[in-house]
Structure formats: structure tokens, C-alpha cells
Amino acid sequence: MSCYGPLASWYDSLTGDVPYSEFADFYEKQFAYHGGEYRLLLDLFCGTGTLTFEMADRGYEMIAVDGSEDMLMQAQAKTAALDTPPLFLCQEASGLDLYGTVDAAYCSLDGMNYIPPEELPGLFHRLKLFIRPQGLLIFDIRSIDWLKSMDGQIYVDETDDCLCLWRAELSEDESCICYGMDIFSRRGKFWARQQEEHIEYLYGFEELKKRLSEEGFEKITLITDGPQGEAGRLFITAVRSD
């Protein structure tokens, strides 16, 4: 089953509670804390582009990458009216390839949890290639305890025209949690059913810190009081070494 295919057209209406402006404020706070000039940004796994739009509207030049063509279609439509629209690239994490370096990169809403362990070193290596020296990387993950607490739970998200029913199941070795999603969308008098499967991997800070350090990042910091911290969201910042 696909990931972020059928869900793409309904994603925004089902996630209206995400505080995107708080994420943008948090990133700008980190830019100010680390100093330097942060104008050209990479939005890694940008999804439907709501945060891309928010940052572009604040005056940043944006490159936005996602592996889902369906999500990128939503993002492009959303940002088309901007004076300087973002550059959108359809790329998987393992094939990240930019045209030059950026001042900072961020990855939001536990996008990093979707990366399998065997692909993490390669992604961090490529991020080092495309973030300028002393540039900044910011990403968030869900805490291990929070993800484990979802095991066996059933969730329902709905609007007048869409019902998303999803179930969470922890793997036997407790290395990842899988979500099976059934998406029912209204088609006139009838409802159409589509399915997706999502997998998020469980990562702890020390493991990620070690991998980042091995790939050339320094000043690696864990922040627990960022947006949605009460929902197990942890932020990690790292500076690209010279």
C-alpha cells in the first residue's frame, strides 16, 4: 500500500490542529540563537506545503522536498500566488540532491521517524553536503515512549466528506510502529474506500546524536519544550561543521 497517496487530498482538512505558526516561530528562535544569516532554507519532507508557505511568506527563499507527488501537487497549488514561489523537488530521502547549499534545513512533524535505520547515515551525509558550513539542521521526532503508547490504539479523523480510520501496531522487536489507514471519501451518494500503510521507526536522542556526529555535525542539542512537546514531540538541532 502507498504512503501519502490517497491521504494527500484530505491531509489538510484532517490535520487542522497542527500549529504551523508555532513551528515557524520556533525555527526563527533557533536561527536567532545560533546567529548568522539564514535566508535560503530546505523544507525536507514538506508534505502539502503549509509550513513551506508560512516560511516563504515570512521572507525566506525556500526549497521544498517530498517523495510523494500527490502531496507536492497540493503544496504547489497552495504556494503558487507567492511573489517568490518555493522550488519543489520530488525526491526520496536517499536521493536528496540540491543545486547548491542552503543556510538551514528543517524536517517537521516526525518526518525523520519515517526513515529506516539503514538509510539514516546516507541522509545525514547528504544533508551535510547541502547545508553550508556552520549552517543549521533542525528536525523533530516522537519520543519512544509516546510511540509505544500508541500500540493497539484505534484513531478516527473525520470531516463531512472524509473518514480516516487508522490502527497502530508496534512491531515484535519494538523497532517501529505501523499504521494501517482506511480512508473513506464521499463520492456523490456513495463512499469510496482507499488504504495506506505508514511505518515510523523508534529513535532515541543518543543514537541520533552519534549518527549526526559521525556524519560531520556538531553542537547537537535536544529540545523538549518546542511545539507539541506535550504530545511527545522532541526537537534536535545540529550545526554543520566546517
Side-chain angles (χ1 to χ4, degrees), residues 12-210:
D12 287 340
S13 60
L14 293 172
T15 58
D17 59 338
V18 177
Y20 289 104
S21 61
E22 292 182 21
F23 277 81
D25 290 343
F26 176 81
Y27 296 148
E28 291 193 317
K29 181 179 178 181
Q30 296 307 309
F31 297 160
Y33 175 80
H34 286 276
E37 185 74 14
Y38 298 97
R39 302 312 307 168
L40 178 58
L41 309 181
L42 168 64
D43 186 339
L44 184 61
F45 314 138
C46 66
T48 60
T50 303
L51 191 51
T52 312
F53 178 91
E54 177 76 26
M55 298 303 286
D57 196 46
R58 295 185 183 206
Y60 296 94
E61 297 179 53
M62 301 300 302
I63 300 174
V65 172
D66 202 276
S68 167
E69 293 182 7
D70 298 285
M71 296 289 267
L72 285 175
M73 288 177 61
Q74 301 292 321
Q76 285 183 309
K78 188 178 298 178
T79 60
L82 289 168
D83 291 337
T84 305
L87 171 63
F88 288 103
L89 300 174
C90 187
Q91 297 178 351
E92 298 294 342
S94 58
L96 181 67
D97 189 10
L98 306 185
Y99 300 102
T101 58
V102 296
D103 298 317
Y106 64 80
C107 180
S108 307
L109 298 173
D110 42 294
M112 203 64 74
N113 286 106
Y114 278 78
I115 305 302
E118 65 272 16
E119 295 183 13
L120 264 183
L123 174 58
F124 288 158
H125 175 72
R126 299 195 73 78
L127 283 168
K128 188 202 172 184
L129 289 178
F130 296 116
I131 297 174
R132 65 162 171 80
Q134 294 303 303
L136 187 62
L137 171 63
I138 311 172
F139 64 89
D140 65 71
I141 58 171
R142 295 284 193 173
S143 72
I144 292 176
D145 288 343
W146 193 89
L147 288 174
K148 285 185 175 181
S149 73
M150 299 177 68
D151 184 31
Q153 301 296 315
I154 298 176
Y155 301 87
V156 178
D157 294 308
E158 60 182 323
T159 68
D160 290 341
D161 296 314
C162 180
L163 172 69
C164 181
L165 179 70
W166 51 292
R167 305 160 303 283
E169 182 177 350
L170 191 66
S171 64
E172 290 186 3
D173 63 0
E174 298 188 350
S175 64
C176 63
I177 191 159
C178 303
Y179 314 112
M181 290 188 177
D182 290 290
I183 303 164
F184 299 87
S185 55
R186 190 186 298 275
R187 306 287 175 85
K189 295 182 180 180
F190 302 97
W191 292 80
R193 179 187 180 187
Q194 295 173 292
Q195 294 177 296
E196 290 196 0
E197 183 178 77
H198 296 240
I199 300 175
E200 292 200 48
Y201 297 88
L202 279 63
Y203 292 120
F205 172 64
E206 292 302 326
E207 175 187 2
L208 293 171
K209 181 178 180 180
K210 179 176 182 294

